[in-house]
Amino acid sequence: MEEGTLKSPRHPTGTAPAPGAAPAARCDYGDADPFQWDTREDCEVRQILDRIGDKWSLLVIALLDVSTLRFTELRREIDGISQRMLTVTLRQLERDGLVKRTVHPVVPPRVEYQLTPMGRTLHTTINALVVWTEEHQNQIAAAREEYDRRAATAL
């Protein structure tokens, strides 16, 4: 680990703070403790959060919450997603038990995707995230403009 790297609450190894730096204090986060799950890459909770939190998964889950859709319908609704990325995203969501894939025995084959009952439980969480984003989008745009203006004058 590099000098100045602090110890993780879940990892006993690490380095002390950089010379002259104050030791890191452990804050009391109450019920919202950000260290309630392990931050390591191989942590199961982190892997699940990475999956359901990526932009394509969020869009797929939101669309499938409204109705059962075919692959081509999903691709048409999600601007900018490639066929390969949609395939990978759907497979991962299916593997995690969030999406059900149904192949109908007709010619040509008809494949539909729908949320599983567990996948449907994400609706409230995703909806809250969307609502928060809509409520704060102007503030975020203003903060970005301010940051970009400061960054441009710092050069």
Side-chain angles (χ1 to χ4, degrees):
M1 293 183 103
E2 296 178 16
E3 183 178 318
T5 303
L6 300 177
K7 293 180 183 180
S8 166
R10 303 273 196 245
H11 292 280
T13 60
T15 61
R26 176 86 161 124
C27 297
D28 180 13
Y29 296 100
D31 290 340
D33 186 356
F35 300 109
Q36 64 185 328
W37 62 79
D38 200 324
T39 56
R40 290 175 296 174
E41 191 171 340
D42 63 345
C43 173
E44 189 76 21
V45 173
R46 178 176 167 189
Q47 291 173 6
I48 295 167
L49 288 171
D50 287 347
R51 165 87 60 252
I52 62 175
D54 78 60
K55 68 179 179 179
W56 301 125
S57 293
L58 283 173
L59 291 170
V60 167
I61 292 166
L63 285 168
L64 292 178
D65 189 58
V66 176
S67 67
T68 298
L69 295 170
R70 295 177 69 175
F71 184 92
T72 53
E73 294 170 320
L74 282 166
R75 186 153 182 231
R76 191 172 27 244
E77 290 292 324
I78 303 173
D79 189 37
I81 194 167
S82 68
Q83 181 172 334
R84 170 146 172 51
M85 184 51 66
L86 181 56
T87 300
V88 168
T89 300
L90 287 166
R91 283 183 185 157
Q92 291 171 339
L93 292 172
E94 183 181 10
R95 181 174 183 255
D96 289 344
L98 302 173
V99 168
K100 179 183 176 193
R101 179 179 185 262
T102 304
V103 180
H104 297 280
V106 295
V107 177
R110 184 172 52 116
V111 181
E112 294 179 331
Y113 297 90
Q114 66 187 63
L115 288 181
T116 63
M118 182 171 56
R120 289 201 179 284
T121 65
L122 286 169
H123 172 74
T124 303
T125 303
I126 291 173
N127 190 51
L129 185 60
V130 170
V131 168
W132 181 90
T133 304
E134 289 171 344
E135 290 174 355
H136 294 89
Q137 65 183 340
N138 293 335
Q139 291 171 280
I140 292 169
R144 287 176 177 173
E145 288 175 12
E146 174 64 19
Y147 177 90
D148 293 346
R149 187 180 55 70
R150 284 193 324 266
T153 59
L155 300 175

